[in-house]
Amino acid sequence: MSESDAKNESSEKIQGQITDESSSALKRYQGIVVGERRFSFLLKFEFLTFFFSGMKGAAGLVLRQKLFPSLFKHCGRKVVFGTDVVVRNPRKIHFGDHVVVSDFAIVDGRSDSDVGLEVGDRTIVGQRAMLLCKQGQIKIGTDVGVGADCGLYAVGGNCLTIGNDCLIGPYTYFGGTRYHFDQLDVPMRVQGHDLRGGITVGDDCWFGAGVSVMDGVTIGRGAIIASGAVVTSDVPDFAVVGGVPAKVLKYRDGRED
């Protein structure tokens, strides 16, 4: 089996887990959302998320900071969870110290790996941002700002890696997974993903609002991606890029192509 076929099989596993009518609704919920088959962990997960996720004000912040860490694979010191944060597969999530997960964000560590989602120290995840491992891995460095309403996806064995000190503007999308579309008589949704190895972002990059970064792209250190750009190919170190598809506009270090 090729690597691409293996990744597609992993991706199809997600759909199978959701639609498998041979399993009870509770078992599917445990596998897809809770990520644990132990009934004791299910009870703890339900108790903490039901009673404390939506608790408003300072009391909610303090109680979540004290109680939520026990759900995760690792949760560093003084991690802040906002109101109505959605947590899925917490036993595959690793948070560093002083991480902030803002109101209504979704963090999902579902992965075949031991750790699906890893978030470094002092990283801030903005309101309604979605960090979703769909049988892939997301690794975010230290001192990263993920803006509101961003979507970060890692599908079918792909890995999304974001370096340290990156600034990610609101409504930015990482993932850009393509579907195969060669067969005209077969719906594209069942032709499988055209997986290209994930996305790698170097340290100290800045993404404007509404950027889309497609699967298979590497973005070099110190790059700036202009608002609204669609990045379909690799970006060199210190390049400033923009447009659809994104092209190099200039270099921060003064060099020319």
Side-chain angles (χ1 to χ4, degrees):
M1 181 184 293
S2 70
E3 182 179 356
S4 177
D5 289 339
K7 288 183 176 180
N8 268 314
E9 183 177 298
S10 179
S11 181
E12 289 165 5
K13 177 181 176 182
I14 303 167
Q15 185 68 22
Q17 287 175 331
I18 296 170
T19 60
D20 181 13
E21 295 184 1
S22 66
S23 297
S24 68
L26 178 61
K27 286 185 177 179
R28 279 181 280 170
Y29 177 78
Q30 285 180 273
I32 297 166
V33 176
V34 182
E36 272 272 5
R37 296 296 184 184
R38 290 180 298 147
F39 192 68
S40 59
F41 187 82
L42 170 65
L43 290 177
K44 179 168 75 169
F45 178 88
E46 290 297 295
F47 177 78
L48 293 180
T49 56
F50 182 83
F51 286 104
F52 300 105
S53 287
M55 185 176 287
K56 310 294 184 184
L61 287 173
V62 170
L63 287 170
R64 286 189 291 273
Q65 191 174 74
K66 296 292 185 183
L67 298 173
F68 272 27
S70 64
L71 294 173
F72 298 96
K73 172 94 176 167
H74 175 84
C75 192
R77 295 180 297 111
K78 297 184 178 180
V79 175
V80 174
F81 298 95
T83 305
D84 290 314
V85 169
V86 176
V87 176
R88 299 174 186 156
N89 292 269
R91 300 304 292 172
K92 297 206 169 187
I93 296 176
H94 184 291
F95 287 124
D97 297 336
H98 303 282
V99 171
V100 175
V101 185
S102 301
D103 300 346
F104 306 105
I106 303 174
V107 289
D108 186 348
R110 182 172 53 193
S111 176
D112 290 332
S113 303
D114 190 43
V115 176
L117 172 61
E118 184 175 351
V119 181
D121 297 346
R122 299 175 301 280
T123 284
I124 298 174
V125 179
Q127 292 181 333
R128 298 175 302 279
M130 297 184 293
L131 279 54
L132 305 180
C133 299
K134 297 184 175 183
Q135 304 303 134
Q137 287 182 287
I138 299 174
K139 300 178 181 180
I140 302 175
T142 61
D143 299 293
V144 173
V146 179
D149 296 289
C150 287
L152 279 63
Y153 296 83
V155 177
N158 274 348
C159 185
L160 165 59
T161 302
I162 296 175
N164 304 323
D165 299 299
C166 289
L167 301 170
I168 302 173
Y171 300 101
T172 291
Y173 170 66
F174 289 89
T177 305
R178 305 163 175 86
Y179 284 89
H180 291 292
F181 53 85
D182 297 333
Q183 302 177 65
L184 301 183
D185 58 339
V186 178
M188 287 180 280
R189 68 177 182 83
V190 297
Q191 292 189 42
H193 289 101
D194 180 13
L195 298 172
R196 303 190 178 189
I199 296 168
T200 301
V201 177
D203 296 340
D204 189 29
C205 290
W206 176 19
F207 297 82
V211 170
S212 295
V213 182
M214 305 303 287
D215 183 23
V217 166
T218 296
I219 296 177
R221 179 169 63 98
I224 297 175
I225 315 300
S227 296
V230 177
V231 185
T232 60
S233 58
D234 291 351
V235 176
D237 292 350
F238 303 114
V240 179
V241 305
V244 182
K247 299 184 182 301
V248 176
L249 305 177
K250 64 179 181 179
Y251 289 92
R252 294 175 61 201
D253 57 6
R255 64 190 153 112
E256 298 180 358
D257 287 332

